[in-house]
Amino acid sequence: MKQGASTIAILSSGGDAPGMNAAIRAAVRGGLGRGCRMLGVLRGYQGLIDDEVEELELRSVSDVIHRGGTMLYTARSDEFVTPAGQKKALDTLARHGADALIVVGGDGSFRGALDLARQGMQIVGIPGTIDNDIACSEYTIGYDTAVNTAIEMIDRLRDTAQSHERCSVIEVMGRHCGNIALSAGIATGATAILVPEIDFDYEKDVLERIAFTRSKGKRHFIVVASEGIFKQSGSRFSSSEEMSAAISQDSGIPARTTVLGHVQRGGSPTGRDRITASEMGYLAAELLATGRGNRILAVRAGRVCDLDVEEALSAVRHFDFELYRMSQELSL
Ligand code: ATP
């Protein structure tokens, strides 16, 4: 039987996401419960390079389950992508006696973890990112909170759009992935939902939808757009403000833009995020403590499970076109 880890380090990396703290708490308590020493690495991979490591005890993770952000801080690190940076990171782990590492983050963070796994470190990846854009998993920690925050904000904007009989253009997060826009757009009855996965035609997908719904008696309009659609090459508009100005001019309906931005990243995690994070953190510690490293955790068929890291990272992400089609038929 494989030897389990005796000292497990944990870090968060990439963009923060609500629920990361619940995952860290569960991993620490799960690991301590199995007799492991637990170490927290501050500021992601950069903290590993800079030797920002501290011992975590049961009480170190008190009072965090309900908090957004990450108690370990997070960072992006260009140095870590280099072989020299990775050597420094591995040296830090060795100096502290860590024989395993849990990484809470997104796809990029997992690629970094895979590099360490190929150099002998036992790793487990926990999907923590608001975008829900990790191909191997149906769900990522933070997504539910982010979508609910976007819904709450859009509901507020709808009230004012309704009172003034306006069009409200709302830009939500998602550079390459339209999941937040799709979910929030469905939940708020948006007239148009624009996502990076689908090329959009301004006349057909925005103006004609507004004109059609207006002809059926609609007096206020919600357009939800992923930030990524304005950054694609060949995009007709370089910003949501520019699109709003065009809508005002071309439809005669005054349009206003709101960019939700980082409010979608913060806030107390929802029940779903806290529970999924707790399950994943606990499983990560269990896997490493029992010698089953080099796994990426995922939700499949609604259940938390673990996948081989190489296999997990070779998965191809699929956008839910069926759901998108449904949204088009409902928002009339
Ligand atoms: P989010 O989805 O929230 O952006 P992420 O984990 O995808 O999270 P990235 O900025 O892509 O965020 O990655 C975080 C860090 O992981 C990077 O700063 C870098 O140090 C490391 N990393 C990213 N991609 C790679 C890679 N291909 N190889 C090695 N390390 C990587």
Side-chain angles (χ1 to χ4, degrees):
M1 195 177 121
K2 272 197 197 164
Q3 179 98 38
S6 60
T7 300
I8 303 174
I10 182 164
L11 60 80
S12 43
S13 170
D16 66 322
M20 281 183 162
N21 282 325
I24 294 163
R25 168 184 176 273
V28 169
R29 294 201 172 156
L32 292 172
R34 287 176 178 272
C36 298
R37 224 176 118 230
M38 297 300 298
L39 301 175
V41 180
L42 305 183
R43 299 178 185 84
Y45 291 125
Q46 194 56 47
L48 259 190
I49 291 170
D50 298 338
D51 199 358
E52 293 196 85
V53 180
E54 57 187 40
E55 187 112 12
L56 296 175
E57 307 289 352
L58 276 181
R59 294 269 77 74
S60 310
V61 289
S62 294
D63 202 28
V64 298
I65 195 166
H66 61 300
R67 293 187 200 281
T70 162
M71 61 174 278
L72 295 177
Y73 305 97
T74 185
R76 303 190 200 266
S77 168
D78 291 336
E79 190 181 354
F80 178 76
V81 185
T82 66
Q86 291 183 6
K87 182 172 181 312
K88 282 189 199 166
L90 287 167
D91 287 348
T92 300
L93 289 167
R95 236 179 355 266
H96 290 274
D99 41 15
L101 176 67
I102 297 172
V103 173
V104 190
D107 195 67
S109 303
F110 290 172
R111 292 192 192 273
L114 175 60
D115 284 351
L116 297 184
R118 286 179 175 154
Q119 294 169 73
M121 181 53 52
Q122 292 291 306
I123 64 96
V124 170
I126 296 180
T129 168
I130 62 165
D131 292 328
N132 201 18
D133 61 348
I134 295 184
C136 66
S137 184
E138 289 161 13
Y139 192 75
T140 61
I141 295 165
Y143 180 63
D144 190 53
T145 308
V147 167
N148 279 291
T149 301
I151 290 169
E152 190 192 332
M153 297 300 144
I154 297 169
D155 284 348
R156 290 171 188 233
L157 291 163
R158 172 195 280 276
D159 290 345
T160 168
Q162 184 269 329
S163 305
H164 288 271
E165 300 182 272
R166 278 182 187 148
C167 174
S168 187
V169 174
I170 298 124
E171 181 182 319
V172 299
M173 288 189 109
R175 273 171 293 167
H176 308 289
C177 176
N179 284 339
I180 293 180
L182 179 59
S183 294
I186 289 172
T188 55
T191 304
I193 301 172
L194 308 174
V195 296
E197 290 88 345
I198 300 176
D199 287 338
F200 83 101
D201 175 336
Y202 166 66
E203 271 79 19
K204 181 171 146 288
D205 298 324
V206 180
L207 286 185
E208 282 179 23
R209 288 189 71 82
I210 289 175
F212 179 75
T213 53
R214 192 185 201 187
S215 74
K216 300 284 177 204
K218 204 170 175 64
R219 289 283 165 266
H220 63 278
F221 310 88
I222 306 272
V223 175
V224 177
S226 300
E227 60 180 324
I229 68 157
F230 303 110
K231 298 189 170 95
Q232 283 170 332
S233 65
S235 170
R236 175 154 178 181
F237 304 109
S238 63
S239 69
S240 43
E241 284 84 0
E242 214 177 292
M243 189 165 77
S244 267
I247 292 171
S248 299
Q249 187 167 3
D250 299 335
S251 69
I253 298 162
R256 297 282 186 278
T257 296
T258 306
V259 179
L260 293 188
H262 282 177
V263 294
Q264 295 158 97
R265 284 257 185 91
S268 181
T270 60
R272 179 172 188 188
D273 279 329
R274 295 183 201 194
I275 293 164
T276 307
S278 297
E279 283 186 81
M280 288 187 166
Y282 183 80
L283 177 58
E286 183 189 7
L287 288 168
L288 291 169
T290 54
R292 291 174 288 160
N294 299 345
R295 312 295 288 171
I296 297 291
L297 305 193
V299 173
R300 291 210 166 171
R303 303 286 306 171
V304 171
C305 62
D306 56 287
L307 309 168
D308 172 72
V309 58
E310 305 261 3
E311 183 193 320
L313 293 186
S314 62
V316 179
R317 190 170 68 82
H318 293 288
F319 183 71
D320 195 338
F321 289 97
E322 279 304 306
L323 204 57
Y324 185 81
R325 230 185 323 276
M326 180 201 82
S327 77
Q328 299 286 288
E329 290 187 28
L330 293 184
S331 55
L332 293 173

